[in-house]
Amino acid sequence: MAAPREGRRLTRGRVLVAAGVLIALGVTAVAVQAATDGGGSDQVSTDSPSADDGKRKGGPDGPAASGSASPTGKESKQGKPGKEATPSGKPKGEDKGSGGETPAPGTGGGGKGDSGRGGVPVTVSTLAQYWQDPCGHPYLVDKDPARLSPPPNEQDASGWVSANGAVSAGEQTVKLTVQGTGEDTVVLESLNVRVAGTDAPLAWNNYKMGYLGVGCGGNVPKHSFDVNLDASVPRPTPQNAGDGFPYKVSASDPEAFYVNATANARYVRWYLELEWSSGGRHGTVRIDDTGRPFATSGDKNRPVYGYSLDTKKWTKTNRDDDNIQEP
């Protein structure tokens, strides 16, 4: 009779243990459900001031909004400018060459402005090598004429400049195309010139683009501004009276601007800053040459060369008239 009673005790014990496990699992399930339903953290939009207060819209890796002009098109509280040229008589590697048209807001620069929803409301496409005279734009190059490649077409100028370490001689025209990114109108308040560094003019050879004996004329586009880089405080001056800031742009109504900078007595590294406002927001877009300052140098008394189609060589010529050959 002892054996059956012992069997019943063992069976009753297993039942009690199983019941305890079920109770424990139930408590755990209740706790998990409470943590899921009771925690209830709100989702935070990507244009919230802090994306760490909750889940970002679009997934945990969605971008957080920032608050001023930057190369990514977002706004950040503090922009950082691109590398500036070091003050020396020769351009450093970071200053050699010039980029082509770069459709990016700020084109390699930082900015500052109020925090706001969305990104910077304008984009700026920059063409650092715009030739007002398609076959006469001069460059200073630290190379012997026998070692320099033939002149490029204007659309290939940026690659030629970069490959040969060329610097605009005496003048440089930068074309800016500014366009809004949304439905709201953006006011372009002002365009300012910032000098990153200056030195004595580069003692290099002057090479005129185009070909000897083949003339062509340029024009003065609308919204053209002159900048004297030799001035203590260079400022853009409209070439046509009354054609000055502010301007308005939108996604359907862009504007193009031409900045014609000249330097005679100095070698200048410089960039631009575009001030904008939209509603209660405002900011600054830095405009440079794909992260580097623009570079323009005086070329007084430097030997001038033009490319001859007859000899397929760079030939010494007159600065102002190709028909007058220099000795």
Side-chain angles (χ1 to χ4, degrees):
M1 295 299 293
R5 281 197 300 269
E6 184 177 355
R8 285 196 295 273
R9 282 197 301 268
L10 290 174
T11 301
R12 193 179 303 116
R14 288 176 182 146
V15 171
L16 291 175
V17 170
V21 170
L22 290 174
I23 292 172
L25 290 173
V27 172
T28 302
V30 172
V32 170
Q33 182 67 24
T36 303
D37 298 337
S41 58
D42 295 332
Q43 288 191 338
V44 178
S45 171
T46 55
D47 52 16
S48 168
S50 173
D52 293 329
D53 294 338
K55 297 179 181 178
R56 299 179 184 177
K57 191 176 290 185
D61 296 327
S66 44
S68 85
S70 71
T72 60
K74 299 293 181 182
E75 296 188 21
S76 58
K77 293 182 179 179
Q78 183 176 1
K80 294 184 179 180
K83 293 183 179 178
E84 296 179 352
T86 56
S88 71
K90 297 182 68 175
K92 301 301 181 184
E94 64 189 22
D95 289 325
K96 289 186 177 181
S98 298
E101 189 165 7
T102 308
T107 56
K112 54 188 176 181
D114 292 340
S115 293
R117 295 187 175 183
V120 177
V122 293
T123 61
V124 182
S125 298
T126 306
L127 183 60
Q129 305 300 329
Y130 176 82
W131 296 354
Q132 289 202 51
D133 186 348
C135 57
H137 187 84
Y139 288 101
L140 292 172
V141 184
D142 191 20
K143 285 186 177 182
D144 185 89
R147 298 177 54 244
L148 185 63
S149 58
N153 296 321
E154 182 179 6
Q155 60 267 31
D156 301 321
S158 61
W160 189 91
V161 165
S162 179
N164 293 288
V167 171
S168 290
E171 63 180 354
Q172 178 174 2
T173 300
V174 177
K175 178 184 176 182
L176 313 174
T177 304
V178 186
Q179 185 173 18
T181 59
E183 297 180 357
D184 294 338
T185 297
V186 181
V187 178
L188 308 179
E189 300 286 356
S190 64
L191 184 67
N192 302 304
V193 179
R194 305 300 183 198
V195 174
T198 63
D199 281 296
L202 298 170
W204 296 352
N205 291 331
N206 181 316
Y207 294 94
K208 297 169 67 172
M209 299 296 99
Y211 304 100
L212 292 177
V214 180
C216 58
N219 59 349
V220 179
K222 185 180 178 182
H223 303 333
S224 294
F225 296 82
D226 291 330
V227 175
N228 179 11
L229 294 175
D230 291 326
S232 57
V233 182
R235 292 187 176 91
T237 303
Q239 292 185 1
N240 298 318
D243 190 18
F245 283 81
Y247 293 91
K248 292 181 180 180
V249 298
S250 65
S252 59
D253 188 19
E255 288 281 8
F257 303 95
Y258 302 82
V259 179
N260 182 40
T262 58
N264 294 311
R266 303 194 294 176
Y267 162 45
V268 185
R269 281 84 73 202
W270 56 283
Y271 60 93
L272 299 165
E273 287 184 344
L274 179 65
E275 305 282 343
W276 60 267
S277 65
S278 181
R281 304 165 56 208
H282 64 89
T284 303
V285 177
R286 168 173 164 144
I287 302 168
D288 53 29
D289 189 1
T290 59
R292 300 178 297 265
F294 304 113
T296 313
S297 175
D299 62 339
K300 187 177 180 180
N301 298 327
R302 302 312 307 159
V304 179
Y305 294 85
Y307 195 81
S308 172
L309 287 173
D310 295 330
T311 63
K312 302 295 189 295
K313 294 180 180 179
W314 289 98
T315 305
K316 203 167 186 180
T317 186
N318 184 275
R319 177 180 294 271
D320 301 315
D321 188 348
D322 289 341
N323 295 318
I324 302 176
Q325 297 297 312
E326 292 290 336

